[in-house]
Structure formats: C-alpha cells, structure tokens
Amino acid sequence: MVTYQVRDVSPDMSFLEMLDLLNEDLTVKGEEPVAFDHDCREGICGMCGVVINGTAHGRGDSPVPTTTCQLHMRSFEDGATIDVEPWRAGPFPVIKDLAVDRSAFDRIIQAGGFISANTGAAPDAHAAPVGKLKADRAFDAATCIGCGACVAACPNSSAMLFTAAKITHLAMLPQGQPERFLRVKSMLAQHDEEGFGGCTNIGECAEVCPKQIPFDTISQLNRDLISSLFKKDGK
Amino acid sequence: MAVTGLILIAFLLVHMFGNLKMFIGPEAFNHYAEWLKGESEDGGILYPLVPKGWFIWIFRVVLLAAVVLHMYSAATLWKRALAANPSTYAAKRKLAQTYSARTMRWGGIILAGLLIFHLAQFTVHAALVAGPYGGSPYAMVIGEFGIWWMVIVYAIWMLAVCMHIRHGFWSAFATLGANTSATARAVLNGCAWAVALLLYIGFMIMPVAVLFGWIH
Ligand code: HEM
Ligand code: SF4
Ligand code: FES
C-alpha cells in the first residue's frame, strides 16, 4: 500500500475526479499515475469499482447504494485517510493498481446469458402479455451492470448474485423460456470453471450492489437449477 | 449441504424430545433407550416392520452418511473459497454477515470434535466421567450431569450447535429456493431463531435439572 496526499479536493468532486486530481499531480511530479478503470462516470457501465475503506464502491454507512463514480467526496471527512483497494478475487486478476480484469463475467454470460431466437422486428405490444410483477422482477434483475462488487464483497468470492441476476432476468420473460433450464446449468458450470467460490447465503453481495439486485435472485437461480435436474436440457 | 443439514436438524429435534423423557422418570427413559435399540418387550420401534434391533443400525447408517456428506460438501466449499480468495483486503467492512454465518466453518469443526466426545461418552460408554452406571441409561445421564463442568461443556457445545443452526437453517432453505422475497427472508430467519432457541432450551433444560437435583 502506498500513501498519497491529495490537495484541493472539493466536496462536490466524485471519487474518480479526486483520483484524476491525484494523477495530474503525480504526472506533473514525473511519477507514475495510479491506474484505475472507468468509462461512463454515471453509474451505468460497471467499470469503476474499487473497495473504499473496506466497502465495495465505498458506500460505507450510507444507506444509498452507489458506484464508485457516483460517490462524492462530501461523504468523507476533510483530511481523512482513505483506504482504496482493487477488487480482490482470484478470477479477477489485477491488471495494474486498481484495475482488474473482469472478463470472467463475459464468459459466464457467453455460456448462456442470452436468448438465441431471432426475434425480428418489435412485436405487437399485446401479442405476448407479461404480467406486471414478472416484468418488474425481470427489469430489476436486468439492471445489473456487471461491476463485480458482489464478488469483491463476498467472503467466498462467489459470483452468484451476478449470475442469478441474469438467470432471473431471462427466467421471468417469455423469450427466456426455451433455454431456461439449459441456461442455468451452463452459466453455473462456467461460474465454477472460472474459479468463483460457492454461495453460502451470507448476503454481503446484495448490500454493496449499486443496482440493488435482490438477494432472492439467488434462490431463483437455485429453484431453476433444482428444476433443471428433473427436466431434459432446454425444455 | 442443505439436505444433509436439514436431516441433522430433524434428528436433533427428535433427540431433544427423547432426552426430555428424563423428566418422566427412569422407566420411561430406559424403556425409550431399549425401544430404539429393539430391546424392549414389544420388539422396539418399527417392529415387526423391520426385525428387532435393525432400526437403530439403519438410523445410524443414515445419520453417519448425512454427517459425512455434510462435512464433504463443507470441505469442498471451503476449498473453493480459499482458491477464489488468494489475497485479503487490508481493510474490510462487514455489512450483512452475522456472527453465526461467519463462524460456520471453524464452528462446524469445533462442534464435530465435541460430537466425538459425546458419542464416546453416551453411545460407546468409553468416556464416562462419572464411572460405571449399572446398565441404566437413566443412571448414566444422572451421573454424568451431576458433574458441574460437564453441564458447562454441554452448554458451550450446544451454543456452538445452535449458532450453526441459526445460520444453517435459513441458509438451507435459501439454497433450496425458498428465499423468494425480503418477507420470506425475514420469516426464514425467524424460524431459524425459533429452531435454534428451541433446541438450546430443550437440550439444556435436562442437564441443568439434573445438576440442581430437580431430577435424580
Ligand atoms: C444437552 C445435549 C445432549 C444430551 C444430554 C444428549 C444425550 C445423549 C444420550 C444420553 C445419548 C445416548 C442414548 C442411549 O444411550 O440410548 C445420546 C446419543 C447420541 N447423541 Fe446426544 N445429547 C445431546 C446433544 C446432542 C447433539 C447436539 C448431537 C449432534 C450434533 C447429538 C448426537 C447424538 C448422537 C449421534 C447419538 C447416538 C445415537 C445412536 O445411538 O446412534 N447429541 N445423546
Ligand atoms: S449483481 Fe450488482 S454488484 Fe454484482 S455485478 Fe451486478 S450490479 Fe455489480
Ligand atoms: S464509471 Fe461507469 S459505472 Fe462508474
């Protein structure tokens, strides 16, 4: 761990702007800047996660879930020493400093987190009705941005919340049905293959998730997995 | 993990119920012990469905299988977690995990160690601290729990067991797919507390009663 001092931090700066300030300073001094990942800076791309003072994305005591880029410096005390660490999990190798490689998530999605039917043009709005509760649940689960905070916070380094979000999203919708039970098996097999740990229902994941993916999506995944044992693949 | 754990919890509930027969008296408790082993006059439990004395062995094989599979699954999960966690955070805050959830692994090892002592004591009769008891399980239990530190050892052991169940019970149902909403979660956690407390009180009330001479 290296300690840097950052001056002139405004309370309105985001956490990443504070890191920008640090890096400008380091560049001027001819030192190596601190590598960190980011893209949208508006909480929708999932690139920016780091562990801040022991909490993934750094929400700390605040009840409001957040991404690192949406965390503001007013959440910290003036002059405070802030501990910043990368996601620490075997399947997320550190590329440099705070940047980690999350492509294990891409491979989990590639294993079944999609539908293969060619849906063509947008169908007639009432052609395939989806109940309001199911639609809401699918939408809630679909908001996962793949940031990896769930893995970073999990004592087992399990990616179950991430995987369960995609399983739940597609399991609630008509398009997801044909491959539903094949999907859960292949995605879980890839999850294990990547070296993520097994879920023991501790619940740290849902606490740090910036999108508040519900903890109960994991039970949805387990239900589909149990059902898949009694069904032919893909049925 | 979930299925074997629930089998063990079901066993504990029956076991606790059986132990409470100590309050009815020596005849009831000794008869119960003989009945389980197929040594009672009526041929014992499930006779004539299974031959005399078979039930206890079928029961023991099922329990042993449950314990072994439970420990095997736990070891697998532990190994995977260790492999997935090559480095640890310098600072880590806990937001949701309970003490019980955090201590499932070491707690499980501790309570399994004490289970070996417990079986050596009351099943094999090789570790009876109070000495010979003349063939009456009732007298054996009275003798062992007349020792104050034995009651304390059991109180600590049962604390480890019931904490394990406090997380284990809810977690088993979550794994089986019953954690369907925040309300379901609250209900499952409430049930887990209820089962853990029931087991603690139900198991410990008898040794305490023996120690204080309420049953003798
Ligand atoms: C205060 C708590 C407990 C007391 C007083 C108690 C007492 C006893 C007694 C007296 C027996 C022998 C019965 C006989 O000789 O017929 C026994 C057997 C046994 N106990 Fe416990 N017990 C307690 C808690 C537990 C717990 C927590 C577990 C499991 C983790 C457990 C597992 C067993 C097993 C596996 C047997 C052997 C059953 C067999 O014969 O196959 N006991 N217990
Ligand atoms: S489930 Fe939440 S914490 Fe995990 S990757 Fe998706 S958005 Fe991030
Ligand atoms: S930079 Fe896109 S979510 Fe933070």
Side-chain angles (χ1 to χ4, degrees):
Chain A
M1 292 270 242
V2 193
T3 309
Y4 297 105
Q5 190 154 35
V6 192
R7 295 184 187 282
D8 304 324
V9 177
S10 128
D12 296 332
M13 277 180 178
S14 74
F15 200 83
L16 299 188
E17 282 166 338
M18 182 275 291
L19 290 179
D20 289 338
L21 197 62
L22 166 67
N23 280 348
E24 279 169 22
D25 200 34
L26 289 174
T27 315
V28 169
K29 283 199 250 166
E31 289 177 41
E32 184 84 354
V34 178
F36 65 93
D37 241 333
H38 62 101
D39 187 18
C40 68
R41 297 208 176 196
E42 55 182 18
I44 55 170
C45 76
M47 288 302 286
C48 59
V50 289
V51 171
I52 302 163
N53 286 338
T55 315
H57 288 307
R59 82 166 163 87
D61 291 319
S62 154
V64 185
T66 183
T67 53
T68 303
C69 57
Q70 291 293 296
L71 181 70
H72 290 84
M73 295 314 291
R74 55 180 167 270
S75 325
F76 301 91
E77 270 178 39
D78 194 16
T81 303
I82 303 172
D83 176 291
V84 192
E85 297 177 60
W87 287 169
R88 291 191 197 277
F92 286 165
V94 175
I95 302 170
K96 187 162 189 266
D97 302 334
L98 299 172
V100 301
D101 178 357
R102 295 185 341 282
S103 48
F105 271 10
D106 299 341
R107 291 187 292 271
I108 295 179
I109 295 295
Q110 281 159 11
F114 51 82
I115 55 160
S116 359
N118 186 348
T119 50
D124 189 37
H126 293 296
V130 181
K132 164 85 172 131
L133 290 178
K134 284 200 165 176
D136 284 351
R137 197 163 157 73
F139 200 82
D140 285 347
T143 56
C144 169
I145 55 176
C147 65
C150 43
V151 176
C154 175
N156 295 305
S157 292
S158 175
M160 209 53 102
L161 194 65
F162 166 78
T163 311
K166 190 51 64 195
I167 294 291
T168 306
H169 163 204
L170 295 176
M172 294 300 119
L173 298 175
Q175 305 92 303
Q177 299 314 310
E179 289 152 309
R180 180 169 178 181
F181 298 105
L182 182 61
R183 173 179 307 118
V184 65
K185 279 196 229 173
S186 353
M187 286 184 75
L188 208 57
Q190 190 62 35
H191 168 279
D192 293 356
E193 172 76 26
E194 295 293 342
F196 291 106
C199 174
T200 58
N201 302 305
I202 289 183
E204 290 289 336
C205 50
E207 291 295 313
V208 297
C209 174
K211 298 297 149 185
Q212 291 186 292
I213 299 298
F215 193 10
D216 42 69
T217 53
I218 296 181
S219 257
Q220 181 68 52
L221 178 149
N222 287 328
R223 279 180 175 228
D224 281 15
L225 185 68
I226 294 168
S227 307
S228 78
L229 302 176
F230 302 99
K231 293 196 162 80
K232 269 205 222 152
D233 283 357
K235 287 281 140 60
Chain B
M1 199 89 255
V3 174
T4 52
L6 289 178
I7 291 176
L8 294 172
I9 293 175
F11 160 71
L12 284 184
L13 286 166
V14 177
H15 187 358
M16 175 196 89
F17 180 74
N19 285 2
L20 291 176
K21 284 190 188 282
M22 283 293 288
F23 283 102
I24 307 179
E27 296 78 28
F29 189 72
N30 290 349
H31 176 268
Y32 178 65
E34 288 165 12
W35 180 69
L36 288 178
K37 294 181 190 142
E39 291 162 1
S40 53
E41 272 151 37
D42 59 5
I45 178 169
L46 288 188
Y47 180 79
L49 225 56
V50 293
K52 283 183 188 178
W54 279 36
F55 169 79
I56 187 78
W57 284 106
I58 298 171
F59 196 76
R60 282 173 179 168
V61 167
V62 172
L63 270 185
L64 186 68
V67 170
V68 169
L69 288 174
H70 196 72
M71 295 203 292
Y72 172 76
S73 327
T76 310
L77 276 170
W78 199 345
K79 254 199 326 228
R80 283 184 51 192
L82 286 177
N85 264 318
S87 65
T88 44
Y89 292 100
K92 187 81 179 82
R93 284 196 44 194
K94 298 166 180 79
L95 296 177
Q97 56 190 287
T98 57
Y99 189 71
S100 305
R102 188 155 65 245
T103 52
M104 289 306 274
R105 287 173 185 150
W106 284 107
I109 289 183
I110 292 169
L111 75 88
L114 281 161
L115 174 64
I116 294 175
F117 166 71
H118 174 60
L119 294 182
Q121 184 184 24
F122 285 133
T123 303
V124 185
H125 304 161
L128 286 173
V129 182
Y133 60 95
S136 152
Y138 184 84
M140 167 176 81
V141 172
I142 295 281
E144 294 298 301
F145 289 123
I147 308 166
W148 64 270
W149 58 262
M150 187 67 72
V151 178
I152 293 182
V153 168
Y154 271 75
I156 295 171
W157 181 41
M158 289 311 298
L159 195 65
V161 171
C162 293
M163 275 172 48
H164 201 75
I165 290 170
R166 217 291 301 143
H167 177 74
F169 185 88
W170 115 262
S171 179
F173 279 98
T175 299
L176 295 176
N179 171 22
T180 49
S181 64
T183 317
R185 197 141 64 238
V187 170
L188 287 177
N189 270 312
C191 292
W193 270 102
V195 171
L197 283 175
L198 173 73
L199 281 173
Y200 195 81
I201 296 169
F203 266 118
M204 284 317 294
I205 193 164
M206 186 273 281
V208 168
V210 172
L211 182 66
F212 288 120
W214 299 330
I215 42 180
H216 42 77

